[in-house]
Amino acid sequence: MYRSQPDAPRQDLAERLGQWLNVHDAIALHAAHQPLPPALPAQAPRRAATQPRAADLLAALHRLRATLRQGIAAPPALPVEPQDSAFAPHHQRCLDQQRRMETAIEPLRAHVRQTLAAASPRLARLAALDATLERLLGGREQRLLSGVPAFLKARFEQLRQTRPDDWPEPFEQELQQALVAELDLRLQPVTGLIEALAQANASP
């Protein structure tokens, strides 16, 4: 698969995050991250009631991932031939898959946050922090992911030049790999929330 030139040395995560946020964003993030008072003993039994929910949410996550991956793996509507030179159908296919991911993942993430908010004060704080981060960073994430089609177009042109007789198959593989990587990225926050719920349920 095509690889770009090595990146410059990575900045510290906090430093890079600071470049993405303005003063108002930083205040909102700080407010969402304020420590909570220790949970009262009377709240402890609520955790047992949420134990089945972690497994349910994980199953829903697996179903969603499988459905979206099936869509990514579906062949293009029209067969791609070596003589085809138009990138437009691949561009549209990529945009369609990105919209499917966004439309499907957002409701699940919101539902998982609601479940955490009702489980315990500590998990409620995590849910609030996730909501704040999504609001602050979601726009930047979308702008970055909007560059995926441009990357694929460059790869499309490169393969057509270097492998003019058999480029469709490797390009299809790389298109799917790029979309699966994007899917995994988009699912990371909701996966982390579910794992946090499962760990809280498993704690004595």
Side-chain angles (χ1 to χ4, degrees), residues 18-67:
Q19 295 175 357
W20 292 3
L21 304 178
N22 58 35
V23 174
H24 296 293
D25 295 338
I27 293 173
L29 185 60
H30 177 73
H33 200 261
Q34 287 304 298
L36 294 173
L40 298 176
Q43 294 173 320
R46 294 183 62 191
R47 184 167 51 193
T50 67
Q51 286 181 358
R53 297 303 301 273
D56 293 342
L57 293 175
L58 187 60
L61 174 65
H62 290 332
R63 288 193 300 270
L64 178 61
R65 179 186 285 116
T67 299

Side-chain angles (χ1 to χ4, degrees), residues 131-145:
T132 301
L133 286 172
E134 183 180 27
R135 178 173 60 82
L136 298 182
L137 305 180
R140 184 177 182 91
E141 178 185 79
Q142 292 303 318
R143 288 192 295 272
L144 292 173
L145 291 175

Side-chain angles (χ1 to χ4, degrees), residues 67-152:
T67 299
L68 292 173
R69 291 196 65 161
Q70 286 175 0
I72 292 171
L78 297 176
V80 181
E81 304 294 342
Q83 64 269 23
D84 295 339
S85 59
F87 179 71
H90 308 289
H91 189 182
Q92 187 60 49
R93 182 180 170 198
C94 184
L95 293 179
D96 289 343
Q97 292 301 324
Q98 288 181 315
R99 281 193 289 268
R100 289 186 71 232
M101 292 183 211
E102 184 175 0
T103 301
I105 294 172
E106 183 178 347
L108 177 61
R109 186 174 179 180
H111 175 62
V112 172
R113 281 201 298 256
Q114 291 176 354
T115 302
L116 265 66
S120 73
R122 188 175 299 278
L123 290 175
R125 182 173 61 138
L126 178 60
L129 180 61
D130 178 73
T132 301
L133 286 172
E134 183 180 27
R135 178 173 60 82
L136 298 182
L137 305 180
R140 184 177 182 91
E141 178 185 79
Q142 292 303 318
R143 288 192 295 272
L144 292 173
L145 291 175
S146 69
V148 171
F151 164 79
L152 289 171

Side-chain angles (χ1 to χ4, degrees), residues 116-193:
L116 265 66
S120 73
R122 188 175 299 278
L123 290 175
R125 182 173 61 138
L126 178 60
L129 180 61
D130 178 73
T132 301
L133 286 172
E134 183 180 27
R135 178 173 60 82
L136 298 182
L137 305 180
R140 184 177 182 91
E141 178 185 79
Q142 292 303 318
R143 288 192 295 272
L144 292 173
L145 291 175
S146 69
V148 171
F151 164 79
L152 289 171
K153 182 177 181 180
R155 188 60 177 146
F156 171 83
E157 298 294 349
Q158 184 182 49
L159 283 171
R160 287 184 62 244
Q161 293 176 9
T162 59
R163 302 181 59 171
D165 298 327
D166 65 348
W167 65 265
E169 182 176 353
F171 176 74
E172 175 65 21
Q173 293 175 350
E174 295 189 17
L175 182 147
Q176 292 188 23
Q177 289 171 357
L179 290 174
V180 168
E182 178 175 337
L183 174 60
D184 291 341
L185 174 67
R186 288 177 179 269
L187 287 175
Q188 282 182 357
V190 67
T191 301
L193 292 175

